Amino acid sequence: MSEDSLFLRKLERFVSFSDDERALLKHHTRRTVQMPAKREIASEGQDPQYVHLIVSGFASRQKILEDGDRQIVAYLVPGDFCDLHVFILREMDHAISTLTPCTVAQLDSDDIAILCERPAIAKALWWSTLVDQSILREWLVNVGRRSAEERIAHLFCELMTRLRSVGLVDSENRFLLPVTQTELADTLGLTVVSVNRMIRNLRNQGMIALEGKQIVVRDVERLKAFSGFTDNYLHLDEKPPQRRGDRVAREEARNLSSV
Amino acid sequence: MSEDSLFLRKLERFVSFSDDERALLKHHTRRTVQMPAKREIASEGQDPQYVHLIVSGFASRQKILEDGDRQIVAYLVPGDFCDLHVFILREMDHAISTLTPCTVAQLDSDDIAILCERPAIAKALWWSTLVDQSILREWLVNVGRRSAEERIAHLFCELMTRLRSVGLVDSENRFLLPVTQTELADTLGLTVVSVNRMIRNLRNQGMIALEGKQIVVRDVERLKAFSGFTDNYLHLDEKPPQRRGDRVAREEARNLSSV
DNA sequence: CGTTATTTTGAGGATCTTCAACCATAGTGG
DNA sequence: CCACTATGGTTGAAGATCCTCAAAATAACG
């Protein structure tokens, strides 16, 4: 699958698209811009014009406190939509900022309107924001109730799982994580020093290895057990079982719409 | 306003309803159940049947870790919907549990379908879940980057603001907070001991006072400044300014639906 | 190849936790 | 009516985790 349709791979874990719908999605995400690292895609307080989709690169959702402290509240990886909420909550209460150089697709109000005429697409987009919400809950558990070392391990488990779902993890559980330790610290409610030491611990215990900006999870089961990771909150296995059948699912989707 | 339509007051901060729509909302939330304290409204792993609305009482969204630790990831106060996501994410990844005895309205799939046929209602429901998401982001900032004392102060500011929006705060900034210090600890990533001491600090500094289970914010500005609270993330002032006009808003709502 | 960003390490300290009581309150049953 | 129990709040002392400060080593970059 080509790089510019990773989001299709992600969404199709949840819904099945027709060729038609796939084409429509590709068409309305064709307008992209290149952004350098550490640049704001959307700013706090702003009334944004576009919905953004990360085509390549890593970005983050972040809040800055008065004292300059930063808390990263989400990682946006290739295939993720940044701000599907902008058409309801008109003022941004946080900023979206690139962590690395990014290719970002811009969808305007018309694009979204056309896409949402398709039930399967509308449902997939809502699914994606609800999963984001679920991830947020798990992050709160992470910083609220886990030790520094566990937090890092848990985040690595999550990223491995999310990146695998868009095909960015190789057979040896190796994936690119192009963020600095300072950024990890701002994500996990820790300091750089702590992050550095705890990563060292994980390496020394043979759970992970670093290869430049790549992380290799050497012992998946141990890393998961150590950090208490389960992937249920990512809701990745909704489609395969088809437990309630497509008919019911479509009916529900209709219920949720008709605005 | 009667107790059983606090959610109307909340939603109408954002959209205007016709008498018709108000009646419809009241009608489809008429089926209520009484629940004792510390009972699960919905359980993790479950495939839930109903969407729940808190009519009276306090409930929480929580996750339990393997070691029995608990993290509360949301407070659900009168007027809040608990689980609007259930028709898309079919498996609960967390539990919803009463903190006090509660009156809970149960809406089934048909209720939601009928309500969502009205654009204003559908939009209001999505607004409410997006605000929940925003609150979650701010909680992550709170636990990740603020001191114990600041976290408590911030939470009190938030609850005062949220409860005021449904008319549950009196003219002296007094409101009922029927949760134990243990529950506050599980909310803020702290221990009971810490919570107790920090609340004492806030009282000694004259920022708050306790009257049984009621909290009186004695110095709102100082409490806000101390905790770094701003209410932008609650998106409470969306309707009054009418900055973009009702026409545009309705058009956008239509875009987001049509599933 | 000099400059800047990032990672790493050490030492000391602060915040928050743990453990262990004790007190207050309210509900229960004899 | 009062001991009895359970729950929640409060306090003290000691310890652990994580932070702060500071500096060196390494990597990245024009």
Side-chain angles (χ1 to χ4, degrees), chain A residues 134-135 138 141 146 153-155 157-158 161 220-221 223-237, chain B residues 44 63-66 91-94:
Chain A
S134 178
I135 291 172
E138 190 61 34
V141 174
R146 285 194 260 260
H154 191 278
L155 179 64
C157 286
E158 177 186 304
T161 308
V220 176
E221 288 317 311
L223 196 70
K224 287 186 179 177
F226 173 73
S227 64
F229 177 85
T230 50
D231 66 5
N232 66 319
Y233 72 97
L234 296 172
H235 296 272
L236 288 173
D237 53 351
Chain B
E44 180 161 355
K63 289 197 166 199
I64 308 288
L65 308 199
E66 322 77 69
E91 184 179 310
M92 288 291 291
D93 56 45
H94 62 275

mmCIF file of all heavy atoms in Angstrom, chain A residues 134-135 138 141 146 153-155 157-158 161 220-221 223-237, chain B residues 44 63-66 91-94:
data_model
loop_
_atom_site.group_PDB
_atom_site.id
_atom_site.type_symbol
_atom_site.label_atom_id
_atom_site.label_comp_id
_atom_site.label_asym_id
_atom_site.label_seq_id
_atom_site.Cartn_x
_atom_site.Cartn_y
_atom_site.Cartn_z
ATOM 1 N N SER A 134 -10.619 7.113 23.390
ATOM 2 C CA SER A 134 -10.280 5.950 24.195
ATOM 3 C C SER A 134 -8.782 5.925 24.524
ATOM 4 O O SER A 134 -8.378 5.583 25.641
ATOM 5 C CB SER A 134 -10.691 4.684 23.434
ATOM 6 O OG SER A 134 -10.346 3.551 24.162
ATOM 7 N N ILE A 135 -7.978 6.296 23.560
ATOM 8 C CA ILE A 135 -6.531 6.359 23.779
ATOM 9 C C ILE A 135 -6.221 7.380 24.873
ATOM 10 O O ILE A 135 -5.401 7.156 25.758
ATOM 11 C CB ILE A 135 -5.795 6.717 22.474
ATOM 12 C CG1 ILE A 135 -5.888 5.553 21.482
ATOM 13 C CG2 ILE A 135 -4.339 7.081 22.744
ATOM 14 C CD1 ILE A 135 -5.362 5.864 20.090
ATOM 15 N N GLU A 138 -6.738 5.971 28.222
ATOM 16 C CA GLU A 138 -5.664 5.075 28.636
ATOM 17 C C GLU A 138 -4.404 5.866 29.002
ATOM 18 O O GLU A 138 -3.669 5.488 29.906
ATOM 19 C CB GLU A 138 -5.365 4.057 27.541
ATOM 20 C CG GLU A 138 -4.429 2.935 27.959
ATOM 21 C CD GLU A 138 -4.959 2.073 29.096
ATOM 22 O OE1 GLU A 138 -6.183 1.856 29.181
ATOM 23 O OE2 GLU A 138 -4.138 1.626 29.917
ATOM 24 N N VAL A 141 -4.765 6.964 32.518
ATOM 25 C CA VAL A 141 -4.430 5.858 33.413
ATOM 26 C C VAL A 141 -2.917 5.734 33.512
ATOM 27 O O VAL A 141 -2.355 5.564 34.598
ATOM 28 C CB VAL A 141 -5.034 4.529 32.895
ATOM 29 C CG1 VAL A 141 -4.568 3.357 33.750
ATOM 30 C CG2 VAL A 141 -6.550 4.601 32.859
ATOM 31 N N ARG A 146 0.711 4.592 36.762
ATOM 32 C CA ARG A 146 1.834 3.702 36.514
ATOM 33 C C ARG A 146 3.173 4.384 36.796
ATOM 34 O O ARG A 146 3.282 5.601 36.728
ATOM 35 C CB ARG A 146 1.783 3.171 35.079
ATOM 36 C CG ARG A 146 0.701 2.099 34.892
ATOM 37 C CD ARG A 146 0.876 1.336 33.584
ATOM 38 N NE ARG A 146 -0.028 1.837 32.573
ATOM 39 C CZ ARG A 146 -1.181 1.273 32.229
ATOM 40 N NH1 ARG A 146 -1.589 0.176 32.840
ATOM 41 N NH2 ARG A 146 -1.939 1.790 31.296
ATOM 42 N N ALA A 153 7.114 1.826 28.866
ATOM 43 C CA ALA A 153 6.858 0.510 28.266
ATOM 44 C C ALA A 153 5.467 0.474 27.650
ATOM 45 O O ALA A 153 5.270 -0.028 26.540
ATOM 46 C CB ALA A 153 7.009 -0.583 29.329
ATOM 47 N N HIS A 154 4.507 1.034 28.358
ATOM 48 C CA HIS A 154 3.135 1.018 27.872
ATOM 49 C C HIS A 154 2.991 1.839 26.594
ATOM 50 O O HIS A 154 2.347 1.408 25.635
ATOM 51 C CB HIS A 154 2.191 1.553 28.950
ATOM 52 C CG HIS A 154 0.736 1.322 28.647
ATOM 53 N ND1 HIS A 154 0.004 2.132 27.812
ATOM 54 C CD2 HIS A 154 -0.117 0.347 29.056
ATOM 55 C CE1 HIS A 154 -1.239 1.664 27.735
ATOM 56 N NE2 HIS A 154 -1.335 0.594 28.475
ATOM 57 N N LEU A 155 3.619 3.003 26.584
ATOM 58 C CA LEU A 155 3.545 3.843 25.389
ATOM 59 C C LEU A 155 4.164 3.125 24.190
ATOM 60 O O LEU A 155 3.615 3.171 23.087
ATOM 61 C CB LEU A 155 4.264 5.172 25.638
ATOM 62 C CG LEU A 155 4.275 6.148 24.453
ATOM 63 C CD1 LEU A 155 2.865 6.602 24.102
ATOM 64 C CD2 LEU A 155 5.150 7.363 24.766
ATOM 65 N N CYS A 157 4.337 -0.080 23.715
ATOM 66 C CA CYS A 157 3.383 -1.123 23.302
ATOM 67 C C CYS A 157 2.284 -0.524 22.447
ATOM 68 O O CYS A 157 1.920 -1.071 21.399
ATOM 69 C CB CYS A 157 2.758 -1.803 24.522
ATOM 70 S SG CYS A 157 3.857 -2.935 25.390
ATOM 71 N N GLU A 158 1.759 0.606 22.901
ATOM 72 C CA GLU A 158 0.665 1.223 22.159
ATOM 73 C C GLU A 158 1.115 1.636 20.762
ATOM 74 O O GLU A 158 0.426 1.373 19.773
ATOM 75 C CB GLU A 158 0.124 2.447 22.905
ATOM 76 C CG GLU A 158 -0.967 3.158 22.102
ATOM 77 C CD GLU A 158 -1.439 4.459 22.725
ATOM 78 O OE1 GLU A 158 -1.867 4.436 23.896
ATOM 79 O OE2 GLU A 158 -1.371 5.502 22.046
ATOM 80 N N THR A 161 1.519 -1.161 18.404
ATOM 81 C CA THR A 161 0.229 -1.684 17.951
ATOM 82 C C THR A 161 -0.418 -0.761 16.923
ATOM 83 O O THR A 161 -0.913 -1.206 15.882
ATOM 84 C CB THR A 161 -0.708 -1.876 19.153
ATOM 85 O OG1 THR A 161 -0.027 -2.647 20.144
ATOM 86 C CG2 THR A 161 -1.995 -2.577 18.740
ATOM 87 N N VAL A 220 8.039 -8.944 23.273
ATOM 88 C CA VAL A 220 6.716 -8.315 23.264
ATOM 89 C C VAL A 220 5.912 -8.709 24.493
ATOM 90 O O VAL A 220 5.339 -7.859 25.181
ATOM 91 C CB VAL A 220 5.927 -8.704 21.982
ATOM 92 C CG1 VAL A 220 4.518 -8.128 22.029
ATOM 93 C CG2 VAL A 220 6.658 -8.207 20.750
ATOM 94 N N GLU A 221 5.869 -10.002 24.778
ATOM 95 C CA GLU A 221 5.020 -10.462 25.877
ATOM 96 C C GLU A 221 5.461 -9.891 27.210
ATOM 97 O O GLU A 221 4.657 -9.493 28.032
ATOM 98 C CB GLU A 221 5.000 -11.996 25.936
ATOM 99 C CG GLU A 221 4.199 -12.613 24.792
ATOM 100 C CD GLU A 221 2.873 -11.877 24.530
ATOM 101 O OE1 GLU A 221 2.126 -11.638 25.504
ATOM 102 O OE2 GLU A 221 2.597 -11.515 23.361
ATOM 103 N N LEU A 223 7.159 -7.082 27.673
ATOM 104 C CA LEU A 223 6.896 -5.640 27.695
ATOM 105 C C LEU A 223 5.414 -5.373 27.989
ATOM 106 O O LEU A 223 5.071 -4.473 28.767
ATOM 107 C CB LEU A 223 7.288 -5.009 26.358
ATOM 108 C CG LEU A 223 7.429 -3.477 26.364
ATOM 109 C CD1 LEU A 223 8.652 -3.044 27.148
ATOM 110 C CD2 LEU A 223 7.502 -2.925 24.941
ATOM 111 N N LYS A 224 4.552 -6.162 27.387
ATOM 112 C CA LYS A 224 3.122 -5.994 27.631
ATOM 113 C C LYS A 224 2.767 -6.322 29.077
ATOM 114 O O LYS A 224 2.048 -5.573 29.747
ATOM 115 C CB LYS A 224 2.312 -6.903 26.692
ATOM 116 C CG LYS A 224 2.279 -6.436 25.247
ATOM 117 C CD LYS A 224 1.337 -7.311 24.413
ATOM 118 C CE LYS A 224 1.280 -6.820 22.965
ATOM 119 N NZ LYS A 224 0.431 -7.686 22.115
ATOM 120 N N ALA A 225 3.285 -7.434 29.556
ATOM 121 C CA ALA A 225 2.967 -7.854 30.924
ATOM 122 C C ALA A 225 3.500 -6.829 31.917
ATOM 123 O O ALA A 225 2.808 -6.440 32.869
ATOM 124 C CB ALA A 225 3.571 -9.231 31.204
ATOM 125 N N PHE A 226 4.722 -6.375 31.669
ATOM 126 C CA PHE A 226 5.333 -5.414 32.591
ATOM 127 C C PHE A 226 4.531 -4.125 32.679
ATOM 128 O O PHE A 226 4.357 -3.549 33.758
ATOM 129 C CB PHE A 226 6.768 -5.111 32.133
ATOM 130 C CG PHE A 226 7.417 -4.015 32.915
ATOM 131 C CD1 PHE A 226 7.827 -4.226 34.228
ATOM 132 C CD2 PHE A 226 7.606 -2.757 32.350
ATOM 133 C CE1 PHE A 226 8.409 -3.205 34.963
ATOM 134 C CE2 PHE A 226 8.188 -1.728 33.080
ATOM 135 C CZ PHE A 226 8.594 -1.961 34.391
ATOM 136 N N SER A 227 4.009 -3.677 31.536
ATOM 137 C CA SER A 227 3.338 -2.375 31.527
ATOM 138 C C SER A 227 1.829 -2.499 31.682
ATOM 139 O O SER A 227 1.125 -1.500 31.779
ATOM 140 C CB SER A 227 3.643 -1.654 30.216
ATOM 141 O OG SER A 227 3.099 -2.365 29.120
ATOM 142 N N GLY A 228 1.333 -3.727 31.714
ATOM 143 C CA GLY A 228 -0.110 -3.914 31.827
ATOM 144 C C GLY A 228 -0.860 -3.528 30.570
ATOM 145 O O GLY A 228 -2.002 -3.084 30.630
ATOM 146 N N PHE A 229 -0.215 -3.737 29.435
ATOM 147 C CA PHE A 229 -0.846 -3.341 28.172
ATOM 148 C C PHE A 229 -1.790 -4.405 27.646
ATOM 149 O O PHE A 229 -1.448 -5.587 27.589
ATOM 150 C CB PHE A 229 0.231 -3.052 27.117
ATOM 151 C CG PHE A 229 -0.331 -2.695 25.763
ATOM 152 C CD1 PHE A 229 -0.697 -1.387 25.478
ATOM 153 C CD2 PHE A 229 -0.509 -3.676 24.782
ATOM 154 C CE1 PHE A 229 -1.222 -1.053 24.236
ATOM 155 C CE2 PHE A 229 -1.032 -3.341 23.540
ATOM 156 C CZ PHE A 229 -1.391 -2.030 23.260
ATOM 157 N N THR A 230 -2.985 -3.981 27.290
ATOM 158 C CA THR A 230 -3.882 -4.807 26.482
ATOM 159 C C THR A 230 -4.409 -3.890 25.391
ATOM 160 O O THR A 230 -4.577 -2.691 25.612
ATOM 161 C CB THR A 230 -5.082 -5.335 27.283
ATOM 162 O OG1 THR A 230 -5.682 -4.238 27.973
ATOM 163 C CG2 THR A 230 -4.652 -6.395 28.278
ATOM 164 N N ASP A 231 -4.686 -4.443 24.225
ATOM 165 C CA ASP A 231 -5.012 -3.572 23.104
ATOM 166 C C ASP A 231 -6.517 -3.323 22.966
ATOM 167 O O ASP A 231 -6.950 -2.737 21.979
ATOM 168 C CB ASP A 231 -4.418 -4.107 21.799
ATOM 169 C CG ASP A 231 -5.049 -5.425 21.397
ATOM 170 O OD1 ASP A 231 -5.997 -5.873 22.076
ATOM 171 O OD2 ASP A 231 -4.600 -6.007 20.393
ATOM 172 N N ASN A 232 -7.291 -3.738 23.931
ATOM 173 C CA ASN A 232 -8.746 -3.582 23.791
ATOM 174 C C ASN A 232 -9.152 -2.127 23.555
ATOM 175 O O ASN A 232 -10.072 -1.853 22.798
ATOM 176 C CB ASN A 232 -9.463 -4.136 25.030
ATOM 177 C CG ASN A 232 -9.164 -3.326 26.278
ATOM 178 O OD1 ASN A 232 -8.033 -2.921 26.507
ATOM 179 N ND2 ASN A 232 -10.177 -3.090 27.080
ATOM 180 N N TYR A 233 -8.461 -1.198 24.186
ATOM 181 C CA TYR A 233 -8.865 0.202 24.077
ATOM 182 C C TYR A 233 -8.592 0.807 22.695
ATOM 183 O O TYR A 233 -9.049 1.923 22.420
ATOM 184 C CB TYR A 233 -8.203 1.041 25.179
ATOM 185 C CG TYR A 233 -6.725 1.281 25.007
ATOM 186 C CD1 TYR A 233 -6.254 2.457 24.432
ATOM 187 C CD2 TYR A 233 -5.789 0.352 25.438
ATOM 188 C CE1 TYR A 233 -4.904 2.689 24.289
ATOM 189 C CE2 TYR A 233 -4.439 0.566 25.305
ATOM 190 C CZ TYR A 233 -3.996 1.739 24.736
ATOM 191 O OH TYR A 233 -2.652 1.959 24.590
ATOM 192 N N LEU A 234 -7.870 0.085 21.863
ATOM 193 C CA LEU A 234 -7.622 0.601 20.521
ATOM 194 C C LEU A 234 -8.720 0.165 19.545
ATOM 195 O O LEU A 234 -8.782 0.663 18.419
ATOM 196 C CB LEU A 234 -6.248 0.137 20.016
ATOM 197 C CG LEU A 234 -5.072 0.682 20.838
ATOM 198 C CD1 LEU A 234 -3.768 0.035 20.411
ATOM 199 C CD2 LEU A 234 -4.982 2.208 20.697
ATOM 200 N N HIS A 235 -9.562 -0.737 19.992
ATOM 201 C CA HIS A 235 -10.737 -1.171 19.205
ATOM 202 C C HIS A 235 -10.362 -1.528 17.772
ATOM 203 O O HIS A 235 -10.974 -1.058 16.817
ATOM 204 C CB HIS A 235 -11.816 -0.074 19.219
ATOM 205 C CG HIS A 235 -12.356 0.194 20.588
ATOM 206 N ND1 HIS A 235 -13.412 -0.496 21.125
ATOM 207 C CD2 HIS A 235 -11.967 1.055 21.543
ATOM 208 C CE1 HIS A 235 -13.662 -0.060 22.354
ATOM 209 N NE2 HIS A 235 -12.790 0.878 22.635
ATOM 210 N N LEU A 236 -9.346 -2.346 17.650
ATOM 211 C CA LEU A 236 -8.836 -2.684 16.321
ATOM 212 C C LEU A 236 -9.551 -3.869 15.697
ATOM 213 O O LEU A 236 -9.502 -4.061 14.491
ATOM 214 C CB LEU A 236 -7.331 -2.994 16.404
ATOM 215 C CG LEU A 236 -6.440 -1.779 16.652
ATOM 216 C CD1 LEU A 236 -5.010 -2.217 16.874
ATOM 217 C CD2 LEU A 236 -6.534 -0.816 15.475
ATOM 218 N N ASP A 237 -10.211 -4.662 16.495
ATOM 219 C CA ASP A 237 -10.760 -5.911 15.965
ATOM 220 C C ASP A 237 -12.276 -5.838 15.818
ATOM 221 O O ASP A 237 -12.989 -6.789 16.027
ATOM 222 C CB ASP A 237 -10.404 -7.067 16.894
ATOM 223 C CG ASP A 237 -10.831 -6.768 18.320
ATOM 224 O OD1 ASP A 237 -11.231 -5.606 18.581
ATOM 225 O OD2 ASP A 237 -10.788 -7.672 19.155
ATOM 226 N N GLU B 44 -16.799 -2.984 32.014
ATOM 227 C CA GLU B 44 -15.766 -3.161 30.996
ATOM 228 C C GLU B 44 -15.949 -4.512 30.302
ATOM 229 O O GLU B 44 -16.243 -5.512 30.950
ATOM 230 C CB GLU B 44 -14.376 -3.066 31.644
ATOM 231 C CG GLU B 44 -13.261 -3.250 30.653
ATOM 232 C CD GLU B 44 -11.916 -2.718 31.125
ATOM 233 O OE1 GLU B 44 -11.859 -2.098 32.207
ATOM 234 O OE2 GLU B 44 -10.927 -2.925 30.420
ATOM 235 N N LYS B 63 -11.198 2.965 35.168
ATOM 236 C CA LYS B 63 -10.484 1.771 34.729
ATOM 237 C C LYS B 63 -9.777 1.169 35.936
ATOM 238 O O LYS B 63 -9.192 1.892 36.738
ATOM 239 C CB LYS B 63 -9.444 2.137 33.674
ATOM 240 C CG LYS B 63 -10.038 2.541 32.339
ATOM 241 C CD LYS B 63 -8.978 2.480 31.256
ATOM 242 C CE LYS B 63 -9.598 2.550 29.882
ATOM 243 N NZ LYS B 63 -8.670 2.041 28.850
ATOM 244 N N ILE B 64 -9.847 -0.138 36.032
ATOM 245 C CA ILE B 64 -9.191 -0.847 37.123
ATOM 246 C C ILE B 64 -7.967 -1.564 36.557
ATOM 247 O O ILE B 64 -8.056 -2.235 35.529
ATOM 248 C CB ILE B 64 -10.141 -1.895 37.747
ATOM 249 C CG1 ILE B 64 -11.485 -1.253 38.130
ATOM 250 C CG2 ILE B 64 -9.490 -2.580 38.939
ATOM 251 C CD1 ILE B 64 -11.441 -0.353 39.318
ATOM 252 N N LEU B 65 -6.819 -1.413 37.231
ATOM 253 C CA LEU B 65 -5.610 -2.098 36.778
ATOM 254 C C LEU B 65 -5.522 -3.484 37.408
ATOM 255 O O LEU B 65 -6.243 -3.805 38.349
ATOM 256 C CB LEU B 65 -4.363 -1.290 37.140
ATOM 257 C CG LEU B 65 -4.324 0.174 36.718
ATOM 258 C CD1 LEU B 65 -2.892 0.682 36.729
ATOM 259 C CD2 LEU B 65 -4.915 0.376 35.335
ATOM 260 N N GLU B 66 -4.600 -4.283 36.865
ATOM 261 C CA GLU B 66 -4.438 -5.649 37.348
ATOM 262 C C GLU B 66 -4.207 -5.681 38.864
ATOM 263 O O GLU B 66 -4.712 -6.548 39.564
ATOM 264 C CB GLU B 66 -3.245 -6.323 36.677
ATOM 265 C CG GLU B 66 -3.064 -5.975 35.209
ATOM 266 C CD GLU B 66 -2.459 -4.587 35.032
ATOM 267 O OE1 GLU B 66 -1.279 -4.408 35.370
ATOM 268 O OE2 GLU B 66 -3.187 -3.672 34.559
ATOM 269 N N GLU B 91 -17.636 -2.534 22.209
ATOM 270 C CA GLU B 91 -17.211 -3.095 23.495
ATOM 271 C C GLU B 91 -16.727 -2.002 24.443
ATOM 272 O O GLU B 91 -15.893 -1.180 24.083
ATOM 273 C CB GLU B 91 -16.085 -4.116 23.280
ATOM 274 C CG GLU B 91 -15.662 -4.803 24.567
ATOM 275 C CD GLU B 91 -14.559 -5.826 24.344
ATOM 276 O OE1 GLU B 91 -14.705 -6.669 23.443
ATOM 277 O OE2 GLU B 91 -13.546 -5.761 25.074
ATOM 278 N N MET B 92 -17.262 -1.985 25.641
ATOM 279 C CA MET B 92 -16.839 -1.013 26.647
ATOM 280 C C MET B 92 -15.384 -1.279 27.026
ATOM 281 O O MET B 92 -15.031 -2.402 27.392
ATOM 282 C CB MET B 92 -17.705 -1.131 27.910
ATOM 283 C CG MET B 92 -19.125 -0.627 27.760
ATOM 284 S SD MET B 92 -19.209 1.165 27.577
ATOM 285 C CE MET B 92 -18.719 1.711 29.217
ATOM 286 N N ASP B 93 -14.543 -0.240 26.974
ATOM 287 C CA ASP B 93 -13.155 -0.411 27.384
ATOM 288 C C ASP B 93 -12.931 0.144 28.788
ATOM 289 O O ASP B 93 -11.809 0.281 29.256
ATOM 290 C CB ASP B 93 -12.203 0.249 26.380
ATOM 291 C CG ASP B 93 -12.519 1.714 26.164
ATOM 292 O OD1 ASP B 93 -12.745 2.422 27.145
ATOM 293 O OD2 ASP B 93 -12.545 2.145 24.996
ATOM 294 N N HIS B 94 -14.016 0.487 29.466
ATOM 295 C CA HIS B 94 -13.933 0.980 30.830
ATOM 296 C C HIS B 94 -15.300 0.782 31.479
ATOM 297 O O HIS B 94 -16.259 0.437 30.787
ATOM 298 C CB HIS B 94 -13.551 2.467 30.844
ATOM 299 C CG HIS B 94 -14.560 3.338 30.166
ATOM 300 N ND1 HIS B 94 -14.560 3.564 28.804
ATOM 301 C CD2 HIS B 94 -15.635 4.014 30.637
ATOM 302 C CE1 HIS B 94 -15.563 4.346 28.473
ATOM 303 N NE2 HIS B 94 -16.258 4.635 29.575
#
